[in-house]
Amino acid sequence: QELAENRFARAALARLLADDELPLVYLTGPTGVGKSHLVREAVVRWKSERPRDSVVQFDAARYAADLADASEAGEIPAFQKRTRRADLFVIEDVHHLSGRVETQQQLLATMNDVTAAGGRFVVTSLYAPGQLAAFDRRLVSRFRGGVMASVSRPGVASRKALLSHFAQCRKLAIAADVVELVSGKVE
């Protein structure tokens, strides 16, 4: 559902899907505001419009774990081959890579390879690029190389719309005064 709080992020992702000139969208905002939902929508749309394209999707913890496993098994080239040929590369919760120097270096190289080949990146984080602690400055610079969209917690009007939407989806009748009361009190 499009809300005022996610309108710009939704538009940025739509532009990423449509515009070969936009290499990256960086979504930032607190937990629970719908960043992952927006990313899932974008990936579904990408796959439906480009069924032959490669999509690589990780949360940062899984990326780090898979890289560590590949390193331990002596299979880093295979990991790189698998991840660096993406047409769309998604990494969520990138802030979890704080202080992981080698993982950040691999991600930077992946970004360089993917975007050099015309691929695109979607990154999510709780923090804006400049607020990432213990991050390689080159990686932070790359994160700033696209569109940064902040998603905030829904305001009262959006909470009303969401409550009405979910009630309708579940075929529940909720009185207008209840919608007003709940949306005004529950963030």
Side-chain angles (χ1 to χ4, degrees), residues 26-33 35 95 124-128 149-152:
Y26 187 102
L27 300 178
T28 183
T31 301
V33 296
K35 297 181 302 290
H95 54 276
T124 72
S125 179
L126 294 178
Y127 309 108
S150 180
V151 182
S152 59

Side-chain angles (χ1 to χ4, degrees), residues 38-65:
L38 292 170
V39 168
R40 278 192 300 277
E41 281 182 359
V43 167
V44 166
R45 184 170 159 206
W46 182 284
K47 287 178 176 179
S48 73
E49 293 174 5
R50 299 172 178 87
R52 294 187 175 151
D53 279 6
S54 169
V55 176
V56 174
Q57 197 168 2
F58 284 102
D59 68 29
R62 176 86 268 149
Y63 181 80

Side-chain angles (χ1 to χ4, degrees), residues 2 10-11 13-14 30 58 61 82 99 101 106 132 150 162-163 176:
E2 184 166 317
R10 188 180 293 276
L13 288 167
F58 284 102
R82 192 171 63 250
V101 176
Q106 283 293 329
L132 292 169
S150 180
L162 286 169
L163 186 56

Side-chain angles (χ1 to χ4, degrees), residues 84-165:
R84 293 185 185 183
R85 292 191 178 165
D87 296 295
L88 177 64
F89 190 103
V90 176
I91 186 159
E92 295 193 67
D93 296 324
V94 76
H95 54 276
H96 288 300
L97 299 183
S98 177
R100 294 177 173 257
V101 176
E102 285 132 26
T103 306
Q104 290 177 31
Q105 289 172 348
Q106 283 293 329
L107 182 59
L108 178 61
T110 299
M111 290 183 81
N112 290 337
D113 287 353
V114 167
T115 56
R120 292 174 234 166
F121 252 80
V122 176
V123 180
T124 72
S125 179
L126 294 178
Y127 309 108
Q131 296 173 322
L132 292 169
F135 262 76
D136 184 310
R137 286 285 143 228
R138 297 169 300 161
L139 190 54
V140 170
S141 178
R142 291 291 299 191
F143 291 156
R144 291 177 171 154
V147 172
M148 189 182 93
S150 180
V151 182
S152 59
R153 295 195 189 286
V156 174
S158 293
R159 291 195 302 267
K160 286 179 192 177
L162 286 169
L163 186 56
S164 296
H165 170 76

